[in-house]
Amino acid sequence: MNQTIAAKLLEWYDRQHRELPWRVAPSDIANGVIPDPYRVWLSEIMLQQTTVEAVKKYFIAFTKRWPTVADLAAADEEEVLKAWAGLGYYSRARNLKKAADMVVRQYGEFPPSQAGLAKLPGVGRYTSAAIAAIAFGEPVAVVDGNVERVITRLMAIETALPAAKALVYKVIEQILPPERPGDFAQGCMDLGATICTPRRPKCILCPLRGDCQGLAAGGPEKFPVKPPRKSKPKRQGAAFVAIRNDGAILLHKRADKGLLAGMSGVPVSDWTARVDGATGADAAPFGAKWVPCGIVSHIFTHFELELHVHRTNSAIMTPKDMWWSKAADLPHEALPTVMKKAIEAAVPNATRKLKP
């Protein structure tokens, strides 16, 4: 049965695989084309907590600007952060630069094993396995959310996540074809993304429908079983948008540690994931006529934020460690999404042309 499942999945993947800018098609691999570890690694880091469609344009822009890991290692971190702006989870960008530096300066090339790859900053169990299997052909289990869904349905695993993950790994290790681990991993991912979807799975089109215990039991959508969802805490704070008479906006670089570390932004009150910040104009970085512009909401991984936005056109000074970003330069600043929202609340359409 296990070999039959792998064969069915690979046959389907050979015919129905998604065309992605970082992927080498199975027919090309069969003709001797070797996946580039740099492109595999870069795509996997970008895909963490981000959709495939959102990543495509960033991946193309990154590889056009920095086509090799050596190019990325030679880049200025500030430029990398600017190019990453809009993808979110900015610690990934900082770890991306650190990992590129480590590969070039310490190893000379990407480590060819999951164990070696796991030593790179920002590379955990899933990412190291994915790179090892896809780029180097190491027969290791690769388990992301799509794979969890496919396997828990296939085997009708009643154990709730995250405890079920150990069972998923065990099943994958039993099914995994050692001669094509990368294609098998990508086949599982594609099946989960296009056929075995969270809602209304297209079971009639699934190559594994005859083996699926969840389908046989009449309830594939109840898998994977998930624990009760915990509500996210809500935080409040303030953002201060100072606008010069030529339309330039006052920005500063955030601290190198903590939330949104190293990114650009407008001044804010002292809110964090754990504590509220002041919401009024009295928390502004300098005295001016501050006018309220409404409230913007933003959802972070661990909390929700309500940001009270204030603006002023009467700033007469440039505080230390801040700078004025002209309208033409603003699209090129390393602004995270929450900062774009704050600026948009004060100056509509100011950030609409942010790249890529």
Side-chain angles (χ1 to χ4, degrees):
M1 174 181 172
N2 293 341
Q3 292 180 342
T4 300
I5 289 174
K8 290 178 180 177
L9 181 67
L10 288 171
E11 182 182 359
W12 175 84
Y13 178 69
D14 288 343
R15 293 182 288 103
Q16 302 293 337
H17 62 274
R18 290 178 292 177
E19 299 288 342
L20 300 173
W22 50 83
R23 176 178 285 175
V24 178
S27 58
D28 292 329
I29 292 177
N31 289 325
V33 179
I34 300 173
D36 182 351
Y38 170 65
R39 295 172 68 87
V40 177
W41 164 73
L42 179 60
S43 67
E44 290 297 340
I45 299 299
M46 287 186 167
L47 286 164
Q48 293 171 2
Q49 306 293 327
T50 310
T51 65
V52 167
E53 288 305 312
V55 164
K56 286 180 181 178
K57 60 182 181 181
Y58 282 90
F59 179 86
I60 292 170
F62 258 73
T63 51
K64 182 178 181 180
R65 187 170 182 180
W66 301 297
T68 69
V69 68
D71 294 321
L72 185 59
D76 181 76
E77 184 181 85
E78 184 66 22
E79 293 304 309
V80 175
L81 288 171
K82 287 180 179 180
W84 191 275
L87 264 180
Y89 302 93
Y90 295 97
S91 61
R92 293 182 298 166
R94 292 187 294 277
N95 283 330
L96 192 78
K97 182 64 171 65
K98 292 176 183 176
D101 293 344
M102 183 181 293
V103 168
V104 171
R105 297 172 186 172
Q106 184 171 331
Y107 297 117
E109 59 185 13
F110 279 92
S113 68
Q114 181 181 13
L117 290 160
K119 296 177 182 179
L120 297 177
V123 176
R125 182 179 183 181
Y126 161 75
T127 304
S128 60
I131 302 168
I134 297 169
F136 297 108
E138 184 176 2
V140 291
V142 181
V143 179
D144 69 352
N146 283 320
V147 177
E148 286 178 349
R149 187 166 57 255
V150 169
I151 298 302
T152 55
R153 288 175 176 176
L154 181 68
M155 307 306 293
I157 296 175
E158 298 281 357
T159 305
L161 291 171
K165 190 179 288 283
L167 298 175
V168 172
Y169 272 100
K170 184 176 181 180
V171 172
I172 290 290
E173 288 164 358
Q174 293 172 344
I175 296 174
L176 180 67
E179 69 281 1
R180 293 183 65 185
D183 285 345
F184 179 80
Q186 292 175 107
C188 285
M189 295 175 196
D190 280 12
L191 190 68
T194 64
I195 301 294
C196 196
T197 50
R199 296 180 180 84
R200 290 185 288 185
K202 305 175 184 68
C203 297
I204 190 66
L205 302 177
C206 180
L208 306 181
R209 61 185 178 275
D211 304 289
C212 183
Q213 297 180 30
L215 177 61
E221 288 186 63
K222 79 174 188 177
F223 303 102
V225 179
K226 297 181 179 179
R229 179 176 294 182
K230 296 181 180 179
S231 61
K232 293 184 179 182
K234 294 184 178 180
R235 298 287 176 244
Q236 295 189 84
F240 302 95
V241 184
I243 308 158
R244 204 165 61 184
N245 56 9
D246 63 354
I249 291 176
L250 189 66
L251 299 178
H252 74 123
K253 183 178 179 180
R254 294 178 62 85
D256 291 333
K257 293 184 179 180
L259 190 67
L260 306 178
M263 302 300 293
S264 300
V266 297
V268 297
S269 59
D270 293 329
W271 49 266
T272 70
R274 295 179 176 82
V275 297
D276 291 329
T279 59
D282 54 346
F286 54 85
K289 184 180 179 181
W290 293 98
V291 179
C293 300
I295 301 173
V296 297
S297 298
H298 189 73
I299 299 177
F300 290 93
T301 307
H302 301 300
F303 71 104
E304 297 180 19
L305 175 68
E306 284 191 347
L307 204 55
H308 295 246
V309 181
H310 305 264
R311 66 173 283 174
T312 184
N313 294 83
S314 61
I316 59 174
M317 60 181 293
T318 305
K320 184 180 179 181
D321 299 325
M322 297 189 187
W323 72 93
W324 292 97
S325 181
K326 296 180 180 179
D329 297 330
L330 195 64
H332 305 287
E333 300 285 1
L335 291 167
T337 301
V338 65
M339 295 300 172
K340 297 178 196 175
K341 290 180 179 180
I343 294 172
E344 287 286 328
V347 191
N349 301 317
T351 66
R352 294 301 187 197
K353 295 182 181 180
L354 280 168
K355 65 177 185 178

